[in-house]
Each structure stands twice: as structure tokens, then as C-alpha cells.
Amino acid sequence: MKRESAEIYHTTFDWPPESDIQNRLVVPAGISEMETARKLLEYHRNIVRIIPSYPKILKVISADQPCVDVFYQALTYVQTHHRSNAPFTPKVLLCGPTGSGKSLQAALLAQKYGLVNVCCGQLLKEAVADKTQFGELIRPFFEKEMAVPNSLVVKVLSERLDQQDSIQKGWVLHGFPQDLDQAHMLNSVGYDPNRVFFLNVPFDSIVERLTLRRIDPVTGERYHLLYKPPPTMEIQARLLQHPKDSEEQVKLKVDLFYRNSADLEQFYGQAVTLNGDQDPYTVFEYVESGIINPLPKKIP
């Protein structure tokens, strides 16, 4: 390196012809053989974990060639590579009372767009069933039918949302958050959705959807007395209703959601509110358009 001008030279590829410049060149700090070897080791240790994050857009170019050739190969790749039309990785949050259709909409989004379907309640059940570290901490709350602490729920969610498929494909989350405190906790650990939908359904419709659900204890088949009635009187006679589907339990959950929904809607200022009391595929079309199209600009 030239001390006076800070111009950089190379003893093999770019050596200055002037002897006075040669005499005052100094070796920069941090490029000794030992230091360079350490940096290369650190690079190769980390790059193997970085490369899998970019499977469809990665271009490997040999840098062991003239700089101009490296530059033009990179430039050609940038100019010709067909990138995804998606303007962002979807991080979708579905909010709504019990029976509003969140699970179905999440399944439809996951199926069509390859998003990771993250159902909070299901994650907790799987953690307990798999006897994971967090599952063992959650188990006592399940056994006593108590609410799992928010801190534990967020840790289980973080573990799932940090997995490679969630990062690469995006995710659709439902079942959490259910109140403002939970929304703040989710935001504080870095999981900020870029699309939020509230599915509003009248109480009478929710009662119709949930209180008429039944299960056959013999076969495990699920029925709905209105939308999917049992095929025979014999089956109908043995059907059972889950205690959580009683009208009293449903009303408690719906009331709880709507007590907190105003704060949640204010917290997620760009949220889109949809009428969930219609054909589920019509609802899906609205959700889908809200993901594909730019966020609406709210008039101040």
C-alpha cells in the first residue's frame, strides 16, 4: 500500500514501476498469513449455513480469474435471472373468534402458496406429545387445564418460525396473539407479520358452526348436524359433542375475543377486516387479494 495516497498495489498483479513509490509501500495490518488463514476458516465455517437460505437465487462464480470477468459474470446473472414476482415473503396473521374459519383459510394459503401453517394450539400439543424441552414445561398446564404462560408460548412459536422452511417460504399464523400483551410479546422477539386479517363472524353463525359439531366415538369420524349429517340413524344415535362446543363455552370464547379485538386491530394498523360469514372460498379470494396486492393506504 502507498502510504501517502493510500492507493493499493499488489506485488504480483499491480506493482508500481516508480522506485520511489516502491520504497515507501507498507504492508497493511491484518493480512498476515496467520490472520488471513483465520478469516478464511471463519468464512468457510459460516458459508455452509448461509448458502441453503438462497437455493433458487444463488449463483456461484469463481473469483480466481480477472476482476473484470468476475464483474461481467455477476452483471449478466443479475440482468438475465428471472426472479420471483412476489414483492415480499408472506408473514400472514389470521385473527378471529373461535369458529371464524382461521384454520381453513390457513390451510388454503399453505396449500396454494407453500406457506408454513403455524397453528399455535397445535404446536403446543405437538411439543407435549413429542416430550420436547418446552413440552415438558407445558405439560403441567395442560394436565390442570390452565392457560400456558405467554413466555412459554412465544418460545415454542419462535422455535418454529426460526426453522429454515418458515424463513424461506413464509408463514401463516393463527391462534396467537389473542390480546394486546401477546401482540407486543410477538413483536418484541422480531415476528412482525406483514399481512394481518380479521375474520368477523356474527355470534349466531359461530354457534351454528360449532354447537352442531359431533364425533362418532366408534370410527372417529366428524360430522355436522347441518352441513355433514351422519348417513344413518344408528350413527346419529351414538354421536357425541365435545364439551368445548357447548353454547356456553363458545359464548365465553367469542366474548373474550371481541373484548380484545379493538386493541389488536389498533396495534396492527394495516390490518384488513373481512366478513367471514360467507362461503369459505369467497373469503379466501379476499384474503388472497390482500396478500398479492399492495397494502391499502389509510386516509388520515
Side-chain angles (χ1 to χ4, degrees), residues 56-225:
K56 296 181 180 179
I57 60 173
L58 181 69
K59 171 70 172 177
V60 178
I61 299 174
S62 171
D64 189 18
Q65 53 184 321
C67 294
V68 67
D69 293 337
V70 175
F71 170 75
Y72 279 113
Q73 286 185 48
L75 181 63
T76 301
Y77 178 72
V78 170
Q79 291 177 334
T80 61
H81 187 61
H82 297 289
R83 290 178 290 178
S84 168
N85 291 325
F88 61 94
T89 300
K91 299 174 184 177
V92 183
L93 173 62
L94 298 178
C95 297
T98 181
S100 59
K102 301 185 298 295
S103 296
L104 176 56
Q105 296 304 318
L108 293 173
L109 285 172
Q111 181 182 36
K112 183 165 184 178
Y113 292 101
L115 307 184
V116 176
N117 188 347
V118 183
C119 173
C120 182
Q122 187 62 32
L123 274 185
L124 299 180
K125 292 176 183 176
E126 290 174 359
V128 172
D130 295 341
K131 298 182 179 179
T132 66
Q133 175 188 355
F134 293 133
E136 291 305 296
L137 296 175
I138 294 168
R139 184 184 301 278
F141 295 96
F142 271 25
E143 292 173 347
K144 297 175 183 177
E145 297 185 352
M146 297 171 60
V148 179
N150 290 338
S151 57
L152 263 180
V153 177
V154 169
K155 286 178 181 177
V156 174
L157 279 175
S158 297
E159 192 174 57
R160 185 64 188 91
L161 296 177
D162 281 341
Q163 290 182 23
Q164 202 62 39
D165 57 348
S166 298
I167 296 171
Q168 288 181 0
K169 300 176 182 178
W171 42 262
V172 51
L173 170 64
H174 50 112
F176 191 96
Q178 297 180 346
D179 57 41
L180 189 58
D181 288 341
Q182 292 180 350
H184 278 297
M185 287 190 71
L186 192 66
N187 180 259
S188 69
V189 292
Y191 304 108
D192 192 19
N194 48 34
R195 290 295 187 273
V196 181
F197 300 92
F198 281 82
L199 306 179
N200 282 344
V201 180
F203 176 69
D204 289 345
S205 296
I206 292 176
V207 167
E208 183 180 272
R209 291 181 182 186
L210 300 185
T211 62
L212 299 181
R213 295 193 301 193
R214 299 291 187 274
I215 187 169
D216 184 344
V218 176
T219 64
E221 184 74 19
R222 298 177 182 275
Y223 295 97
H224 190 281
L225 298 183

Side-chain angles (χ1 to χ4, degrees), residues 9-80:
Y9 293 97
H10 192 281
T11 56
T12 302
F13 303 118
D14 186 22
W15 189 244
E18 299 88 350
S19 59
D20 60 326
I21 296 178
Q22 295 175 11
N23 292 334
R24 62 173 179 252
L25 293 182
V26 296
V27 178
I31 65 167
S32 69
E33 185 174 348
M34 183 70 71
E35 289 170 307
T36 302
R38 180 183 58 77
K39 291 176 182 177
L40 282 171
L41 181 63
E42 183 179 1
Y43 168 80
H44 287 293
R45 184 185 297 124
N46 292 324
I47 195 65
V48 294
R49 292 184 290 176
I50 296 173
I51 286 177
S53 301
Y54 307 98
K56 296 181 180 179
I57 60 173
L58 181 69
K59 171 70 172 177
V60 178
I61 299 174
S62 171
D64 189 18
Q65 53 184 321
C67 294
V68 67
D69 293 337
V70 175
F71 170 75
Y72 279 113
Q73 286 185 48
L75 181 63
T76 301
Y77 178 72
V78 170
Q79 291 177 334
T80 61

